[in-house]
Amino acid sequence: MSRHIKINQEMVVDCIMIEPDDLSSRVDTMPGEWIESDVGGIGQHYDAEGDYFYYPKPYASWTWDSTKKNWQPPVAFPSDMDDSTVWNESKGEWETE
């Protein structure tokens, strides 16, 4: 079995485990293209040219870092960041809940 991701308009819309030979005979009415991939999940975007997946922009103030291929906050991640650290978009700062 292998993992296949369905891409529609650069967005992952489906993810299945299937035998490669069974994929071509699968009845599928949803538009998009299947690719084999060990990464990527529903709701992520897919950059075909760079062959990578990424999440939608989390906050309006964050910008895309094309070198790191991910979204970056306007204020650096705190060095002591843990699961209780969250971004406060209205204040433009990191907070601990």
Side-chain angles (χ1 to χ4, degrees):
M1 289 200 122
S2 59
R3 188 170 182 267
H4 286 75
I5 304 286
K6 184 171 236 185
I7 309 294
N8 184 16
Q9 298 180 7
E10 299 179 359
M11 177 77 76
V12 178
V13 295
D14 201 356
C15 177
I16 60 172
M17 293 293 292
I18 193 168
E19 293 292 340
D21 293 340
D22 294 340
L23 187 61
S24 62
S25 62
R26 185 172 186 265
V27 174
D28 185 4
T29 58
M30 188 184 333
E33 174 187 354
W34 288 101
I35 62 170
E36 188 173 349
S37 178
D38 291 334
V39 296
I42 294 173
Q44 285 188 303
H45 295 278
Y46 177 64
D47 183 304
E49 186 176 313
D51 191 29
Y52 62 89
F53 295 89
Y54 62 97
Y55 288 99
K57 187 174 186 175
Y59 300 98
S61 64
W62 291 35
T63 56
W64 182 251
D65 183 325
S66 58
T67 303
K68 295 179 181 178
K69 295 186 174 48
N70 63 19
W71 297 105
Q72 294 295 308
V75 176
F77 292 100
S79 58
D80 60 346
M81 187 170 181
D82 61 25
D83 289 343
S84 65
T85 307
V86 295
W87 177 252
N88 183 319
E89 181 70 3
S90 62
K91 292 181 180 178
E93 63 185 31
W94 292 102
E95 295 181 340
T96 302
E97 292 183 323

